[in-house]
Amino acid sequence: DPDANDAGDGGDMGPNSYHGTHVAGTVAAASSNGLGVAGVAPGVKVMPLRVLGVGGGTSYDIIQAIRFAAGLPNDSGLLSPPVDVMNLSLGRTGYCSPAEQSAFTAARQAGVVVAAAAGNDAMDAGAAFPASCQGVLAVGAVDLLGNRSYYSNYGPAVDVQAPGGDASVDQNGDGYGDGVLSLLGDETVSPADYFYAFFQGTSMASPHVAGVVALMKSVNPTLTPDDVDALLANGELTDDRGIINAHAAVYAALNALGAPPELNPTLTVQPGSLNFGSAFTYAEIEVRISGGGDLQVSAPTSDQPWLSLAPLAVTAANTGRYSVMVERTGLAEGTHTAVITVVSDRNTVEVPVIMQVSGSVHESDAGHLYVLLRESATGTVVDQAEADASGGTYRYRLGAGRPGDYEIVAGTDFDNDQFICDAGESCGAYPTLDHPGAITVDADREGIDFSVGRVVPISDLRLEAEAAGVPVGLGSGERVRRPPPVAGAPRATAQ
């Protein structure tokens, strides 16, 4: 297409997703600048090729982009120097067609390593494209604790796993769903600007692997796709759970070149802190040795009797996964803290733990809320309720009008500009603010509960965006227009 202007994938359905921006940020976001996030391989160059638009795209477009990226003849009539690594954060159900397989085979023969998302359908990846294609590194997603993300495809077709997140939970207690944080764009402001958001998916896992392969190629440009496959099959690119390990991969690449780096083993524990709040009783930690080599590691210990640990999948060297459990019986109301300590002959790691004991519901008032019901596909608000707090709880009732998939968003509008979820206002969404989920409505539904809290930037990540006037609201950076008030409209009082 000779027109380089990119209209995006939003069309009449709403703002563009900036899915590719998020993926590219995971690979190559600049580091050591005191701003935002760091890419896996921040020094690499990125060749963005658009193959999907409004409503998706075609196999033909994907094949032509594969050939273009690999420096092969294609229907654009243009030739490009080949890339070293190709990432495809896209997919569909269905097997690899002969034409698609031919494109991947040709790219591999041209020396290009291909990483691709395994798919988000929680099914066998062997029945999904591009994971079912030969010569492709199919990447599955894991959550914060290294377990398979609930949505990730699985099975023998998955070659490697990487962080894809689970934004529906907050296992490290930092107040945000455990997605992958990266960049997004916003064309609804002038000038267009960027911000940061949590996404989840094998689309987020795949660029982690592509970035690691880019690191390998940066230290050993002679590596071929066959070399990468052999190192992966030998377990040299992953930890013992099959999750990509950047340090091990770079070490393997250097070792293959005959220049192994000096080992620098260091004890690490993930996550680095735990927050059980007032309701959770179970979490997991993983004890690891990073940097290559071996250490003498002690089993984790707790300094409080109400916090106990037990091995789940632990090696003889005391590395691996441990369960962490809280027992609140007999404890006084209030906040309790503890420390989990893991000691090695190289360094000691302390994991702070916080937990609350509450004997009663605390009164809380986030302000007068507007609760919006909107169609998932179009973002159109189809119903609105208003509610005030009573005993720390808001009660609402919404009517869908017709069966379908809907989202529920709630927030205040302190400045009365017809937008909820501006910075400083209260905001929430079901099931979490960072990853609103669709609710299929084909009958009456009850118990659609979620939390609402004041919108604040993610640390200092969005300070520049705020200064430029970029709206900060939902986890996707979205604030939501509410319908104008209707005179005499009743406020919802029942769930």
Side-chain angles (χ1 to χ4, degrees), residues 400-454:
R402 61 182 180 183
D405 292 336
Y406 296 88
E407 296 175 351
I408 296 179
V409 182
T412 55
D413 185 14
F414 294 142
D415 56 6
N416 201 34
D417 65 351
Q418 299 296 301
F419 282 92
I420 64 172
C421 296
D422 283 323
E425 296 179 342
S426 297
C427 190
Y430 178 82
T432 67
L433 182 62
D434 293 312
H435 194 72
I439 304 167
T440 299
V441 178
D442 52 12
D444 289 348
R445 297 283 301 270
E446 295 183 348
I448 309 298
D449 299 329
F450 54 96
S451 353
V452 174
R454 188 170 65 88

Side-chain angles (χ1 to χ4, degrees), residues 46-60:
V46 174
M47 177 194 289
L49 298 177
R50 163 75 78 185
V51 298
L52 305 179
V54 177
T58 66
S59 178
Y60 168 82

Side-chain angles (χ1 to χ4, degrees), residues 154-252:
Y154 51 83
V158 175
D159 298 292
V160 63
Q161 300 180 101
D166 179 356
S168 68
V169 296
D170 179 13
Q171 297 185 88
N172 63 354
D174 65 355
Y176 298 96
D178 297 331
V180 174
L181 186 65
S182 187
L183 290 116
L184 283 184
D186 188 347
E187 79 277 20
T188 65
V189 297
S190 182
D193 212 330
Y194 70 90
F195 57 96
Y196 301 85
F198 293 96
F199 277 7
Q200 67 175 28
T202 55
S203 282
M204 286 61 253
S206 185
H208 280 87
V209 172
V212 169
V213 175
L215 291 177
M216 296 171 65
K217 293 283 285 188
S218 71
V219 299
N220 185 353
T222 67
L223 284 176
T224 67
D226 286 340
D227 294 333
V228 174
D229 285 354
L231 293 171
L232 179 62
N234 199 37
E236 296 185 59
L237 310 186
T238 60
D239 63 16
D240 56 5
R241 303 173 68 184
I243 301 170
I244 196 71
N245 183 310
H247 186 279
V250 172
Y251 179 88

